[in-house]
mmCIF file with all atom_site columns, all heavy atoms in Angstrom:
data_model
loop_
_atom_site.group_PDB
_atom_site.id
_atom_site.type_symbol
_atom_site.label_atom_id
_atom_site.label_alt_id
_atom_site.label_comp_id
_atom_site.label_asym_id
_atom_site.label_entity_id
_atom_site.label_seq_id
_atom_site.pdbx_PDB_ins_code
_atom_site.Cartn_x
_atom_site.Cartn_y
_atom_site.Cartn_z
_atom_site.occupancy
_atom_site.B_iso_or_equiv
_atom_site.pdbx_formal_charge
_atom_site.auth_seq_id
_atom_site.auth_comp_id
_atom_site.auth_asym_id
_atom_site.auth_atom_id
_atom_site.pdbx_PDB_model_num
ATOM 1  N N   . GLN D 1 3  ? -6.353  -13.883 -3.124 1.00 98.00 ? 380 GLN D N   1
ATOM 2  C CA  . GLN D 1 3  ? -6.156  -13.197 -4.399 1.00 98.00 ? 380 GLN D CA  1
ATOM 3  C C   . GLN D 1 3  ? -7.231  -12.115 -4.554 1.00 98.00 ? 380 GLN D C   1
ATOM 4  O O   . GLN D 1 3  ? -8.419  -12.374 -4.315 1.00 98.00 ? 380 GLN D O   1
ATOM 5  C CB  . GLN D 1 3  ? -6.243  -14.180 -5.561 1.00 98.00 ? 380 GLN D CB  1
ATOM 6  C CG  . GLN D 1 3  ? -5.304  -15.373 -5.430 1.00 98.00 ? 380 GLN D CG  1
ATOM 7  C CD  . GLN D 1 3  ? -3.858  -14.973 -5.279 1.00 98.00 ? 380 GLN D CD  1
ATOM 8  O OE1 . GLN D 1 3  ? -3.356  -14.105 -5.992 1.00 98.00 ? 380 GLN D OE1 1
ATOM 9  N NE2 . GLN D 1 3  ? -3.162  -15.603 -4.342 1.00 98.00 ? 380 GLN D NE2 1
ATOM 10 N N   . ARG D 1 24 ? -12.822 -8.282  -6.359 1.00 98.00 ? 401 ARG D N   1
ATOM 11 C CA  . ARG D 1 24 ? -13.328 -9.561  -5.848 1.00 98.00 ? 401 ARG D CA  1
ATOM 12 C C   . ARG D 1 24 ? -12.220 -10.301 -5.124 1.00 98.00 ? 401 ARG D C   1
ATOM 13 O O   . ARG D 1 24 ? -11.112 -10.458 -5.658 1.00 98.00 ? 401 ARG D O   1
ATOM 14 C CB  . ARG D 1 24 ? -13.877 -10.409 -6.984 1.00 98.00 ? 401 ARG D CB  1
ATOM 15 C CG  . ARG D 1 24 ? -14.329 -11.815 -6.566 1.00 98.00 ? 401 ARG D CG  1
ATOM 16 C CD  . ARG D 1 24 ? -15.199 -12.446 -7.621 1.00 98.00 ? 401 ARG D CD  1
ATOM 17 N NE  . ARG D 1 24 ? -16.508 -11.817 -7.653 1.00 98.00 ? 401 ARG D NE  1
ATOM 18 C CZ  . ARG D 1 24 ? -17.460 -12.143 -8.544 1.00 98.00 ? 401 ARG D CZ  1
ATOM 19 N NH1 . ARG D 1 24 ? -17.225 -13.047 -9.480 1.00 98.00 ? 401 ARG D NH1 1
ATOM 20 N NH2 . ARG D 1 24 ? -18.627 -11.529 -8.509 1.00 98.00 ? 401 ARG D NH2 1
ATOM 21 N N   . ALA D 1 25 ? -12.509 -10.776 -3.924 1.00 98.00 ? 402 ALA D N   1
ATOM 22 C CA  . ALA D 1 25 ? -11.555 -11.550 -3.141 1.00 98.00 ? 402 ALA D CA  1
ATOM 23 C C   . ALA D 1 25 ? -11.768 -13.040 -3.367 1.00 98.00 ? 402 ALA D C   1
ATOM 24 O O   . ALA D 1 25 ? -12.904 -13.491 -3.544 1.00 98.00 ? 402 ALA D O   1
ATOM 25 C CB  . ALA D 1 25 ? -11.708 -11.219 -1.661 1.00 98.00 ? 402 ALA D CB  1
ATOM 26 N N   . SER D 1 26 ? -10.687 -13.801 -3.345 1.00 98.00 ? 403 SER D N   1
ATOM 27 C CA  . SER D 1 26 ? -10.773 -15.242 -3.594 1.00 98.00 ? 403 SER D CA  1
ATOM 28 C C   . SER D 1 26 ? -11.417 -15.995 -2.438 1.00 98.00 ? 403 SER D C   1
ATOM 29 O O   . SER D 1 26 ? -11.817 -17.156 -2.589 1.00 98.00 ? 403 SER D O   1
ATOM 30 C CB  . SER D 1 26 ? -9.385  -15.809 -3.890 1.00 98.00 ? 403 SER D CB  1
ATOM 31 O OG  . SER D 1 26 ? -8.524  -15.600 -2.792 1.00 98.00 ? 403 SER D OG  1
ATOM 32 N N   . GLN D 1 27 ? -11.525 -15.346 -1.288 1.00 98.00 ? 404 GLN D N   1
ATOM 33 C CA  . GLN D 1 27 ? -12.260 -15.877 -0.149 1.00 98.00 ? 404 GLN D CA  1
ATOM 34 C C   . GLN D 1 27 ? -12.774 -14.704 0.661  1.00 98.00 ? 404 GLN D C   1
ATOM 35 O O   . GLN D 1 27 ? -12.343 -13.565 0.476  1.00 98.00 ? 404 GLN D O   1
ATOM 36 C CB  . GLN D 1 27 ? -11.394 -16.816 0.701  1.00 98.00 ? 404 GLN D CB  1
ATOM 37 C CG  . GLN D 1 27 ? -10.153 -16.187 1.269  1.00 98.00 ? 404 GLN D CG  1
ATOM 38 C CD  . GLN D 1 27 ? -9.260  -17.219 1.958  1.00 98.00 ? 404 GLN D CD  1
ATOM 39 O OE1 . GLN D 1 27 ? -9.392  -17.461 3.142  1.00 98.00 ? 404 GLN D OE1 1
ATOM 40 N NE2 . GLN D 1 27 ? -8.369  -17.825 1.194  1.00 98.00 ? 404 GLN D NE2 1
ATOM 41 N N   . THR D 1 69 ? -16.888 -11.095 -0.344 1.00 98.00 ? 446 THR D N   1
ATOM 42 C CA  . THR D 1 69 ? -15.941 -11.256 -1.445 1.00 98.00 ? 446 THR D CA  1
ATOM 43 C C   . THR D 1 69 ? -16.061 -10.195 -2.540 1.00 98.00 ? 446 THR D C   1
ATOM 44 O O   . THR D 1 69 ? -15.165 -10.089 -3.376 1.00 98.00 ? 446 THR D O   1
ATOM 45 C CB  . THR D 1 69 ? -16.099 -12.631 -2.120 1.00 98.00 ? 446 THR D CB  1
ATOM 46 O OG1 . THR D 1 69 ? -17.430 -12.740 -2.628 1.00 98.00 ? 446 THR D OG1 1
ATOM 47 C CG2 . THR D 1 69 ? -15.813 -13.771 -1.141 1.00 98.00 ? 446 THR D CG2 1
#
Side-chain angles (χ1 to χ4, degrees):
Chain D
Q380 306 303 315
R401 175 164 288 177
S403 60
Q404 59 187 270
T446 60

